Amino acid sequence: MKKYNKNGQLEAVICNSCGKKLVVDKGIVREGAMAIDHAWDYFSEKDGQVHHFDLCEECYDEITAEFKIPVDVEEQLELL
Ligand SMILES: [Zn+2]
């Protein structure tokens, strides 16, 4: 989950899975994190809902390690 200060700047990112508070400096997350923002559609049981959560890199690794089919990984051509 993300917390913003009253100026709309990112203040905190907390891993929804383990509760770890990630390092945020000047509105930017300074460690590995994944943000999920998913709009469920008509074909789901959650039509009209948008779900948001954040994972730290350790939880991401744990969760994806349980996948029967591994995550597709490709190298970015240009690091932004
Ligand atoms: Zn975590």
Side-chain angles (χ1 to χ4, degrees):
M1 63 171 289
K2 291 187 183 77
K3 285 182 184 165
Y4 296 89
N5 66 19
K6 57 181 183 293
N7 301 320
Q9 189 181 52
L10 185 64
E11 200 170 54
V13 178
I14 296 158
C15 173
N16 282 73
S17 184
C18 70
K20 178 180 151 183
K21 196 172 177 207
L22 303 180
V23 177
V24 175
D25 183 38
K26 297 181 182 75
I28 295 168
V29 189
R30 300 289 178 178
E31 59 185 302
M34 175 184 240
I36 303 290
D37 299 286
H38 184 71
W40 291 94
D41 66 14
Y42 179 77
F43 299 102
S44 72
E45 303 285 315
K46 303 171 192 61
D47 184 25
Q49 296 179 12
V50 183
H51 288 200
H52 305 277
F53 63 89
D54 296 273
L55 293 175
C56 72
E57 192 168 4
E58 290 78 25
C59 289
Y60 171 85
D61 288 342
E62 267 179 41
I63 290 165
T64 55
E66 301 289 315
F67 287 2
K68 288 195 168 53
I69 298 164
V71 172
D72 268 333
V73 178
E74 67 179 289
E75 299 295 327
Q76 284 186 335
L77 297 177
E78 214 174 303
L79 290 175
L80 299 175

